[in-house]
Structure formats: C-alpha cells, structure tokens
Amino acid sequence: AGAKDFSITANSFNVLTGSSVSLADSCVLNIGTGNDLQLSHDGSNSFIKDAGTGDFKIQANDTLFIQNSAGTTGAEFWSAGTVQLNYNGVKKFETTSAGATLTGDLTVSDDLFMKSDAAVIHFGADSDVTLTHDHNVGLILATEGTANSLAIVSGDDGTAAGPTLNLKRDSASPADNDGIGAIVWTGRNDNSQDFQAAIIKSQASDVSDGSE
C-alpha cells in the first residue's frame, strides 16, 4: 500500500471479462524492459511515446484507419500499399502504383518544383493540352486541337493596353546588336523535317542609355 510503482514480471497478465485497468492522470504505462514504450494522459492530452531505440511501427492485418472520436476517418493505410488522406471523411489524396491522385484544388504558398527535365503537366480529361519542360528548348505548349492553343485574356476595362505579351531580354551585360526576341513560324515538310516559314525578330543596334 502506498507504493507508486506496480510491475508485472510474469509472462502473461489476464484481465477478466467486464473488468478494466485504470490509471490516473499523469500516470505512465511503461512497456518493455527499458520502459521503451510509454502511454500516458496528463488530464488534457494523451501521449504514445517511443522512448527507446529502433523504429515505432503500427501494424494491422488489414486496413489501418485513423479516426476521430466520432468515427470519421482522416487517413487510411491499406495493406495493398495505398495511402489515402481525407477531409471530413471524403478522399482528397491517394497514392497509386503510378504515383498519386489529388481530388480537388491544390494551393501552394511557396515554390512548386518540377525537377525532371522532361516533366509534363496535362490539362483536360484526355490530356488535350500539355506543358512540357525541355532542357534544350524551354517550355513547350502542345495541343491536339485546332482552336486557340494559347489565349491571353485581360478583363480590365481601363484605358491601358491589354492584354500584353512582353518579350524581355534581361541581360546583365547588354551589348550592341543583342537580339531582344523573336516569333518563329515552324512547319513540317513531307520528309518529317522542320522548316522555318517566317520570323519576326527584334535586335538592339545600340544599347547606350538614351540612344536605344
């Protein structure tokens, strides 16, 4: 009586049906010879603490669900490998064998990186429009249709010009006869070769301040 600690050293410990084991706030249930796993509640929050060495593994024979007290699932970990993240019980993110599927909007508050030199962004249910990064060319906008491949639209009702397409040569050391920009019309001949049909090109013959 009056002891603070209670240890079970036997190989098994049985709790009879209908019975329970209760621990007061701030008491710790230690599991393992070195108290490696600790379960506790401080009166406000509950804690599962891995205080030992090695990994902390949660295993299930079937799907592992993380739910709130009302039973609404926030995350599902399927035994087949799929991981699903939900919002209010509705699936928003799911891993697949090909990568991942996002349902809904994606808001990025910082930079978004496409690290592959051949990364492609697909638009439309049938990938009608694609935006591809080519490290030799830059960004390639491709479309399968015959309508506008790219439309620049301004909804401004002011007097300023718009919409505006700005081709800017932003050199740190500008020099005379620098090329500023070009628009090129490229076709394809019957020998599967590209040919340049027309070009509009701008060049700075003089970059001296006041004499551009």
Side-chain angles (χ1 to χ4, degrees):
K4 294 183 179 180
D5 297 330
F6 175 71
S7 300
I8 300 173
T9 58
N11 291 331
S12 63
F13 175 72
N14 297 322
V15 179
L16 299 178
T17 302
S19 301
S20 62
V21 176
S22 299
L23 296 177
D25 289 342
S26 300
C27 289
V28 179
L29 175 62
N30 294 303
I31 302 175
T33 303
N35 298 333
D36 301 306
L37 179 62
Q38 301 174 359
L39 307 180
S40 63
H41 182 77
D42 65 1
S44 300
N45 305 295
S46 300
F47 300 90
I48 302 176
K49 182 179 181 180
D50 179 13
T53 59
D55 299 325
F56 179 64
K57 300 179 180 181
I58 302 176
Q59 299 179 345
N61 289 330
D62 208 331
T63 304
L64 173 65
F65 296 89
I66 297 180
Q67 301 177 330
N68 63 14
S69 58
T72 301
T73 301
E76 303 176 24
F77 301 84
W78 293 56
S79 58
T82 297
V83 175
Q84 178 176 313
L85 302 180
N86 305 327
Y87 176 79
N88 197 26
V90 179
K91 180 174 65 176
K92 295 299 180 180
F93 181 86
E94 178 183 9
T95 61
T96 66
S97 58
T101 300
L102 175 69
T103 303
D105 297 333
L106 174 64
T107 301
V108 180
S109 59
D110 210 327
D111 298 333
L112 177 65
F113 293 91
M114 302 283 287
K115 289 291 189 177
S116 171
D117 282 336
V120 182
I121 301 176
H122 298 261
F123 299 90
D126 299 320
S127 297
D128 302 313
V129 178
T130 60
L131 186 62
T132 307
H133 172 250
D134 186 314
H135 68 284
N136 292 319
V137 178
L139 286 177
I140 302 174
L141 179 68
T143 178
E144 296 297 328
T146 57
N148 290 339
S149 298
L150 175 64
I152 303 176
V153 180
S154 173
D156 183 31
D157 57 359
T159 58
T164 300
L165 176 63
N166 185 5
L167 304 181
K168 182 180 180 180
R169 182 67 177 268
D170 194 15
S171 173
S173 54
D176 292 348
N177 299 315
D178 275 351
I180 297 179
I183 300 176
V184 181
W185 283 260
T186 302
R188 194 79 163 163
N189 65 20
D190 59 6
N191 194 33
S192 299
Q193 297 171 327
D194 291 342
F195 67 92
Q196 190 177 101
I199 182 172
I200 297 175
K201 183 177 180 180
S202 177
Q203 189 174 31
S205 59
D206 190 344
V207 295
S208 300
D209 186 16
S211 300
E212 306 89 333

